């Protein structure tokens, strides 16, 4: 039997269409690009999470001279939140980027590894994470849950 996977997301003309709280979070993600360490790719990524307590925590990509050792902004942020705020859930995560000498006008979409980590986090805390993706300017994509980023993702529940 043929099946179909589909989901709805919001595509906004610009960040002004976000709620005030989400605008603040996206601003924090943009600002977090300044803390990226990306001397190799020169692709600075920033992410910001709003926790259940309303606290905002940021993360950025941290590269390594041994390239695969580097970590993306999203996973740096998830690891930081899980370590420092183990009893809080992430309500929303905003992701942005600022490549050196190149425009940042399209939404950025997390890599496959980060999608798995986001899914792991949602499953672990049984709480969907709203995802806001944007460049420094331009259109903004808003997803209701990280599960939409990874259809048929591997769920650790099967290991139990
Ligand atoms: N990167 C992120 O931090 N997040 C993404 O969503 C995509 C890629 C980083 C990894 C690497 O440091 C640089 O961007 C270029 O791939």
């Amino acid at each position: 039997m043929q099946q179909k996977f589909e989901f709805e997301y919001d595509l906004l003309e610009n960040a002004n269409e976000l709620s005030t709280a989400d605008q603040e979070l996206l601003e924090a993600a943009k600002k977090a690009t300044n803390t990226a360490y990306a001397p190799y790719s020169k692709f600075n990524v920033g992410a910001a999470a709003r926790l259940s307590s309303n606290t905002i925590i940021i993360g950025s990509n941290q590269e390594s001279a041994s390239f695969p050792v580097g970590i993306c902004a999203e996973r740096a942020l998830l690891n930081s939140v899980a370590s420092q705020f183990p009893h809080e859930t992430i309500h929303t995560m905003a992701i942005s980027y600022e490549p050196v000498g190149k425009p940042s006008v399209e939404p950025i979409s997390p890599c496959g590894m980060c999608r798995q980590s986001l899914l792991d986090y949602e499953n672990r805390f049984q709480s969907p994470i709203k995802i806001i993706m944007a460049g420094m300017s331009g259109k903004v994509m808003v997803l209701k849950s990280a599960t939409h980023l990874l259809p048929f993702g591997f769920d650790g529940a099967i290991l139990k």
Side-chain angles (χ1 to χ4, degrees):
M1 199 203 304
Q2 207 164 44
Q3 308 286 307
K4 194 159 143 188
F5 179 93
E6 58 185 1
F7 66 93
E8 287 175 359
Y9 65 94
D10 290 325
L11 182 62
L12 312 178
E13 274 310 307
N14 61 59
N16 295 333
E17 292 180 27
L18 291 167
S19 68
T20 313
D22 285 351
Q23 283 185 40
E24 181 192 26
L25 194 67
L26 180 56
E27 278 308 312
K30 289 179 185 176
K31 205 169 154 203
T33 60
N34 293 318
T35 68
Y37 179 69
Y40 307 106
S41 71
K42 303 199 178 345
F43 192 82
N44 299 316
V45 184
R50 184 180 294 281
L51 309 186
S52 38
S53 62
N54 231 5
T55 309
I56 291 178
I57 304 296
I58 58 149
S60 53
N61 55 332
Q62 303 295 321
E63 295 184 351
S64 166
S66 176
F67 294 176
V69 177
I71 188 167
C72 294
E74 297 89 329
R75 274 174 300 128
L77 176 56
L78 288 176
N79 293 343
S80 180
V81 172
S83 309
Q84 296 181 76
F85 304 91
H87 304 300
E88 290 193 36
T89 56
I90 298 177
H91 182 272
T92 310
M93 184 185 288
I95 310 159
S96 191
Y97 66 107
E98 183 153 53
V100 177
K102 288 190 185 149
S104 168
V105 293
E106 303 284 339
I108 186 176
S109 193
C111 80
M113 231 187 226
C114 288
R115 289 172 195 224
Q116 177 66 39
S117 288
L118 283 159
L119 191 66
D120 289 339
Y121 210 92
E122 282 195 349
N123 288 333
R124 177 172 165 189
F125 291 98
Q126 288 295 296
S127 180
I129 302 174
K130 178 160 89 171
I131 309 285
I132 300 172
M133 304 181 285
M136 284 292 160
S137 62
K139 292 188 177 164
V140 179
M141 284 173 74
V142 185
L143 275 60
K144 286 189 179 63
S145 162
T147 51
H148 295 152
L149 286 167
L150 196 62
F152 306 107
F154 182 67
D155 181 347
I158 203 165
L159 300 174
K160 287 180 190 149

